[in-house]
Amino acid sequence: MMKIVRRFFSVTYTLLLFSAAPCMAQSLEECQHAAERNYPLIQQYGLISRTTELTVANIQKGWLPQLSASAQATYQSDVVSWPEQVKAIYSSMGIDMKGLKKDQYKIGIDVSQTVYDGGAISGQKEIARRQGVVDAAQTEVTMYQVRRRVNEMYFGLLLIDEQIRLNRDLQTVLESNERNLKAMYERGTAAESDYLSVKAERLNVRQQAGNLQSQRRSLAAVLSAFCGIEVTKVEMPRGDATVAQQQTGQRPELRAIDAQISLADAKERLLKASLMPKLSVFASGFYGYPGYNMFEDMMKRDWSLNGMIGARLSWNIGALYTHKNDKAKIQLQRDMAETSRKVFLFNNNLEQMEQNEAIARYRSLMKDDEEIISLRSSVRKAAESKLSHGIIDVNDLVKEINAENAARVQQTVHEIEMLKEIYELKFTTNN
């Protein structure tokens, strides 16, 4: 009985955790990792790895004995034959020297085993592996851009959340003034138009809240679909994130360039291997007519088994003709990769300069935001007092309320934009 009770409470606790999970705020890092796992291209890593394994395995089979089977039937216009004088001599001896038949047949098998290839097979395997690294690095470059897309949606959602919060605060201020003006109108100390004007402004702000909520639902749905998880809440990232300039060594684009240079090195090693001689042993056999014993076949014309074994040394001297140009082409590939590195680092450094400048600008603006809000709040409170004493009209009050709200919105925009630039800098330097 106790086991059943404990199991009941365990299941209940688990269900509560799962039911509460969607209410927990997702951090930016959690959304980034979830998006990377959910992005369909993530499957490419496994496909590249498997393709590389199969390619290397196929190349390795170059060390296995190579077998070939063949069948051949021919009809020749002429064949080797005995001179008539020789045939006459054999005929006088009672030997019928028929000569070879013009129709000839052969069914055979050839076996060849490489003994030394000058490093060609190992070079091909190395190229296959390096090509797999290049393909994976290119995939990583594309996957890395997923973070930037998550950043844009995440900070957009943060900004809308802050606008919704400020909208609620604005509605609260307008509702308070609406109640005061309603009471003043009922006492005959304020015009009905003043009360209705503030009420209309509050309804207008409430409409804006509905529009913001609609935008939030749409953006949250897109972010959830992109990440593959339900993103209901987002949390404000830490604002103390700092990134030093000139730290781009971990960017996947640079690793992809390194992989391309490494592939070029492997190609050059294979190019050297192509100049080396090749040694192999072979065995060849066939059943047919004529065989290796041509004299006997001239007399009997019977099918026979024939075979030979041997060693073969080959050297493709023609590879020397294009070796210099092929080597130059590989060097050009390296030069192109190095040029791509310089271009990337140049543009990356420019991005860092722009982002650092933007961060410094927003920090400077934020120093004055608090004071501006404090002053706008004081002016708004003073306007409320003046309105109650009939010194100003309601339009002046609404103007000051909107000015205070605009200052608060501006502070929020500066804070979130600064955070976004900080994390853009983290993206640029991959820190």
Side-chain angles (χ1 to χ4, degrees), residues 376 379-380 383 395-405:
R376 287 295 183 186
V379 172
R380 187 259 303 168
N395 291 328
D396 293 329
L397 174 61
V398 171
K399 179 181 177 181
E400 297 303 334
I401 291 174
N402 287 331
E404 180 190 3
N405 179 70

Side-chain angles (χ1 to χ4, degrees), residues 194-400:
D194 292 340
Y195 158 66
L196 295 178
S197 178
V198 173
K199 183 177 182 180
E201 185 66 22
R202 178 181 62 81
L203 293 175
N204 181 51
V205 172
R206 192 170 72 179
Q207 280 186 339
Q208 294 175 8
N211 185 39
L212 288 171
Q213 290 289 355
S214 176
Q215 293 180 30
R216 191 195 187 283
R217 286 192 297 270
S218 176
L219 187 55
V222 174
L223 182 58
S224 298
F226 194 77
C227 296
I229 59 175
E230 185 179 1
V231 181
T232 55
K233 292 183 180 180
V234 291
E235 61 183 28
M236 188 77 72
R238 294 193 305 272
D240 57 349
T242 56
V243 185
Q245 197 172 355
Q246 305 294 339
Q247 296 180 359
T248 57
Q250 298 301 316
R251 279 291 294 259
E253 291 87 347
L254 296 178
R255 290 196 290 271
I257 292 172
D258 291 337
Q260 291 172 1
I261 294 176
S262 180
L263 176 60
D265 294 340
K267 288 181 178 179
E268 186 170 5
R269 287 191 290 272
L270 181 60
L271 187 61
K272 293 178 181 178
S274 67
L275 300 177
M276 302 299 292
K278 310 295 190 292
L279 177 64
S280 62
V281 294
F282 66 91
S284 177
F286 71 91
Y287 178 67
Y289 172 85
Y292 292 144
N293 191 342
M294 190 174 297
F295 292 107
E296 184 175 351
D297 292 332
M298 285 183 175
M299 295 184 291
K300 295 184 178 179
R301 296 186 175 181
D302 294 332
W303 286 37
S304 61
L305 287 172
N306 304 269
M308 72 169 65
I309 60 173
R312 181 182 294 114
L313 180 66
S314 61
W315 191 4
N316 182 16
I317 301 177
L320 291 170
Y321 302 153
T322 60
H323 179 74
K324 183 177 179 180
N325 290 341
D326 291 338
K327 189 174 181 180
K329 287 169 58 178
I330 293 174
Q331 184 58 44
L332 288 175
Q333 293 175 7
R334 290 197 192 93
D335 295 340
M336 291 171 63
E338 289 296 343
T339 301
S340 298
R341 185 198 304 277
K342 292 177 182 178
V343 171
F344 174 81
L345 290 175
F346 180 82
N347 292 330
N348 190 274
N349 289 335
L350 290 181
E351 285 185 26
Q352 290 185 52
M353 293 172 62
E354 293 173 355
Q355 290 160 356
N356 278 315
E357 180 61 30
I359 292 170
R361 183 176 71 253
Y362 284 124
R363 281 178 175 160
S364 177
L365 292 172
M366 289 174 63
K367 291 179 181 178
D368 298 328
D369 283 338
E370 283 294 339
E371 185 177 0
I372 293 173
I373 291 173
S374 178
L375 293 174
R376 287 295 183 186
S377 180
S378 298
V379 172
R380 187 259 303 168
K381 292 176 182 177
E384 290 175 345
S385 177
K386 290 177 182 179
L387 180 66
S388 64
H389 292 84
I391 300 175
I392 62 173
D393 61 19
V394 69
N395 291 328
D396 293 329
L397 174 61
V398 171
K399 179 181 177 181
E400 297 303 334

Side-chain angles (χ1 to χ4, degrees), residues 45 54 63 90 105 109-110 131 166 176 182 275-276 317 324 338 413:
Y45 288 110
L54 293 174
W63 287 112
Y90 278 115
Y105 308 92
I109 295 178
D110 295 324
Q131 185 63 56
L166 294 174
S176 176
K182 182 178 181 181
L275 300 177
M276 302 299 292
I317 301 177
K324 183 177 179 180
E338 289 296 343
V413 170

Side-chain angles (χ1 to χ4, degrees), residues 79-80 98-102 104 289-290 294 297-298 301:
V79 292
V80 177
K98 301 177 181 178
L100 293 178
K101 295 172 61 178
K102 292 184 177 180
Q104 301 180 3
Y289 172 85
M294 190 174 297
D297 292 332
M298 285 183 175
R301 296 186 175 181

Side-chain angles (χ1 to χ4, degrees), residues 127-146:
I127 286 179
R129 294 191 183 98
R130 301 285 178 159
Q131 185 63 56
V133 173
V134 170
D135 294 341
Q138 293 293 347
T139 302
E140 187 182 1
V141 170
T142 304
M143 290 294 299
Y144 189 70
Q145 297 301 320
V146 171

